[in-house]
Amino acid sequence: MILHDYWRSSAAYRVRIGLNLKGLAYTSVSHDLTMNEQRDPAYLAKAPQGLVPALEVGGRVLVQSVAILEWLDETYPNPPFLPVDADGRAAVRAMALVIAADIHPVNNLRIANALRSDFGADGATVVAWMQRWMTAGFDALEAMVARDGGDFSYGDAPGLADILLVPQWYNAERYRLDTTPWPRLAAVVDRARALPAFAAAAPERQREAD
């Protein structure tokens, strides 16, 4: 497996966690997003959106982090990322989508760059923008984890929701968001970060890290 990666990409961070949890070996190929290396024609031929992550496996190139994670879970079912029951799977997917559909799309590097270049936003404005959408998402997730969580976001084993939560929490810390309003999420993140699969995937552990 070849993971097209960038050390500080939260979407790539998710896939690193997923691969580690499944115990799968992979080779990382870094594309520096700050240098627009993901726009190289050779990479665009593999991943037409020019985004990371992409996972090359078995002659195919899989894109979009959640799709990759679900493929991993279907192909390598143990340990599972999703509960066995339909209600549980819906609950976990809803948590994951709060991050993947509602927080991350308006917080990624492309959006931050557009705010600066197209709308004249200064650094403080960009930080306020990031914090606004993370706060809204974390407010909802705190209530969802309070309802369905245990040691982790859903139950007592790490799963899809945690794989997305930990990288988003990393982003919150980068943008100096006060996370004290979400103690349940903080406890889940602490437990997850203590696991080797999560720890090894952390941005600061990647060889390209600044």
Side-chain angles (χ1 to χ4, degrees), residues 22-41:
K22 296 294 187 182
L24 298 171
Y26 65 94
T27 299
S28 176
V29 176
S30 180
H31 303 267
D32 190 337
L33 305 188
T34 67
M35 302 298 292
N36 284 322
E37 290 179 359
Q38 77 280 12
R39 306 305 301 175
D40 182 270

Side-chain angles (χ1 to χ4, degrees), residues 103 106-109 111-116 120-136 138 168 170-178 182:
I103 300 175
V106 292
N107 271 199
N108 63 31
L109 181 62
I111 298 301
N113 287 341
L115 289 171
R116 295 183 183 98
D122 60 14
T125 301
V126 171
V127 168
W129 171 273
M130 299 294 189
Q131 292 181 344
R132 171 181 178 176
W133 302 112
M134 284 188 272
T135 295
F138 287 162
Q168 189 59 58
Y170 168 80
N171 285 346
E173 292 168 338
R174 281 186 62 211
Y175 284 99
R176 304 186 296 279
L177 179 64
D178 176 10
W182 309 291

Side-chain angles (χ1 to χ4, degrees), residues 185-199:
L185 299 185
V188 167
V189 169
D190 286 345
R191 290 189 190 97
R193 283 175 166 172
L195 298 176
F198 285 80

Side-chain angles (χ1 to χ4, degrees), residues 148-160:
D148 291 322
D151 285 344
F152 292 91
S153 295
Y154 187 92
D156 294 322
L160 184 66

Side-chain angles (χ1 to χ4, degrees), residues 9-24:
S9 160
S10 58
Y13 186 177
R14 299 167 188 168
V15 176
R16 293 196 301 267
I17 295 169
L19 288 164
N20 292 346
L21 282 170
K22 296 294 187 182
L24 298 171

